[in-house]
């Protein structure tokens, strides 16, 4: 089966489940994992600006898209000639069924189940000892944007024991610096906006006493198989948070 993936985390999952470059025949420029495999797969544009003609020329048996990451009209344009599976992952349960579905489609059921069990184990191990660490998770700058309760990132925060101070919001609301006052920790994600140390210093001028840190955006936002590989990262992150409380 020839498959085109329009979703970076799903591309990673396909290779993790055991598919080869002969089966994954197209990917976006943001599909960067696993590096040694994706380098051999043709790029068909970005997640928001796919090259429809290039995709159709690959004659895929299946195209994997995502409700949030891809543009509805572009995906619908592919449906005229190709079979398209549109995924939607907002919860850990959604992720479980995504991997189960991929396992069924590609005859990798056992491998998919192994990843699902590993993900639940990683999240079970990655728990804050103390409750009510209030977190603000920023994904963008100019304007500052955060995450609401109907996002996958929110679910990972909650699973690891953080309380999202914007849990009464939905999707990706725009906020002001003043709105971060209630946070115990401000998390600046490495993606989609590439927050750096200089941005921590900018915020420190406003909130000198708060814990402000760069966090791995992939660990919080990449669904599929990625969380299974983040056990050590979450342990180190939570250790840093515990040290903050001392």
């Amino acid at each position: 089966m020839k498959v085109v993936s329009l979703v970076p985390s799903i591309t990673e999952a396909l290779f993790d489940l055991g598919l080869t470059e002969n089966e994954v025949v197209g990917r976006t420029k943001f599909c960067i994992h696993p590096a040694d495999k994706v380098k051999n797969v043709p790029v068909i544009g970005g997640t928001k600006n796919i090259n429809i003609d290039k995709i159709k020329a690959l004659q895929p048996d299946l195209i994997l898209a995502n409700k949030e990451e891809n543009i509805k009209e572009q995906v619908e344009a592919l449906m005229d000639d190709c079979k398209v599976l549109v995924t939607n992952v907002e919860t850990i349960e959604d992720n479980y069924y995504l991997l189960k579905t991929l396992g069924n489609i590609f005859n990798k059921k056992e491998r998919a189940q192994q990843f699902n069990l590993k993900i639940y184990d990683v999240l079970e191990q990655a728990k804050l000892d103390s409750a009510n660490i209030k977190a603000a998770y920023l994904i963008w700058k100019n304007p500052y944007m955060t995450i609401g309760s109907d996002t996958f990132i929110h679910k990972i925060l909650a699973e690891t024991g953080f309380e999202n101070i914007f849990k009464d919001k939905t999707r990706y609301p725009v906020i002001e610096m003043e709105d971060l006052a209630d946070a115990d920790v401000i998390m600046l994600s490495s993606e989609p906006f590439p927050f750096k140390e200089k941005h921590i210093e900018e915020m420190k001028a406003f909130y000198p006493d708060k814990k402000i840190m760069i966090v791995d955006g992939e660990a919080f936002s990449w669904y599929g198989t990625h969380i299974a590989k983040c056990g050590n990262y979450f342990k180190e992150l939570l250790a840093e948070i515990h040290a903050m409380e001392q």
Side-chain angles (χ1 to χ4, degrees):
M1 184 185 291
K2 294 197 299 183
V3 58
V4 167
S5 172
L6 309 181
V7 189
S9 54
I10 290 180
T11 301
E12 179 184 33
L14 293 176
F15 284 113
D16 282 344
L17 292 179
L19 273 70
T20 68
E21 296 96 319
N22 292 328
E23 294 167 292
V24 183
V25 298
R27 59 157 177 119
T28 76
K29 64 181 180 181
F30 300 112
C31 299
I32 57 173
H33 299 307
D36 61 325
K37 300 287 180 62
V38 298
K39 68 181 181 182
N40 301 315
V41 179
V43 174
I44 47 75
T47 52
K48 307 291 188 189
N49 57 343
I50 57 178
N51 187 320
I52 292 170
D53 291 336
K54 187 178 282 189
I55 293 171
K56 289 182 178 179
L58 292 169
Q59 299 183 309
D61 300 301
L62 178 65
I63 298 169
L64 295 169
N66 180 264
K67 180 181 177 182
E68 179 173 284
E69 295 195 45
N70 304 123
I71 303 295
K72 182 173 184 256
E73 291 75 18
Q74 293 178 4
V75 172
E76 287 176 343
L78 292 169
M79 291 178 173
D80 295 336
D81 299 290
C82 305
K83 182 179 179 181
V84 182
L85 174 64
V86 180
T87 62
N88 185 33
V89 182
E90 294 180 0
T91 67
I92 306 304
E93 186 177 26
D94 290 342
N95 193 68
Y96 176 91
Y97 285 107
L98 167 68
L99 288 181
K100 187 172 183 179
T101 298
L102 294 177
N104 288 338
I105 291 172
F106 299 107
N107 196 27
K108 305 288 186 181
K109 296 178 185 177
E110 186 175 338
R111 188 91 173 122
Q113 182 64 2
Q114 287 172 349
F115 271 102
N116 270 326
L117 292 174
K118 179 62 176 176
I119 286 166
Y120 280 111
D121 182 57
V122 165
L123 293 176
E124 183 62 33
Q125 298 294 323
K127 294 276 195 242
L128 281 168
D129 292 337
S130 52
N132 300 320
I133 297 288
K134 294 181 178 179
Y137 187 105
L138 302 192
I139 61 167
W140 203 256
K141 188 179 189 297
N142 296 328
Y144 284 120
M145 295 174 71
T146 186
I147 50 106
S149 60
D150 57 345
T151 62
F152 189 71
I153 296 170
H154 170 88
K155 300 304 190 299
I156 298 297
L157 280 175
E159 284 287 333
T160 49
F162 294 97
E163 180 185 346
N164 178 11
I165 67 168
F166 298 104
K167 62 181 183 291
D168 59 332
K169 307 283 188 185
T170 56
R171 305 319 294 155
Y172 305 103
V174 173
I175 59 167
E176 302 295 335
M177 186 75 82
E178 293 81 358
D179 298 327
L180 300 169
D182 290 339
D184 298 314
V185 58
I186 299 172
M187 299 177 172
L188 306 181
S189 180
S190 61
E191 62 167 55
F193 183 88
F195 281 104
K196 306 289 187 211
E197 292 297 323
K198 66 179 181 180
H199 300 116
I200 293 179
E201 297 309 312
E202 289 173 11
M203 281 201 163
K204 282 287 189 184
F206 205 92
Y207 290 114
D209 299 324
K210 284 194 185 299
K211 174 66 175 175
I212 306 170
M213 63 198 306
I214 306 290
V215 296
D216 182 355
E218 292 180 4
F220 284 92
S221 67
W222 280 46
Y223 41 85
T225 53
H226 195 81
I227 304 164
K229 309 167 193 177
C230 293
N232 288 336
Y233 173 75
F234 284 128
K235 286 177 185 175
E236 291 169 6
L237 175 68
L238 298 185
E240 191 174 343
I241 297 295
H242 287 312
M244 172 194 82
E245 297 178 90
Q246 302 305 314

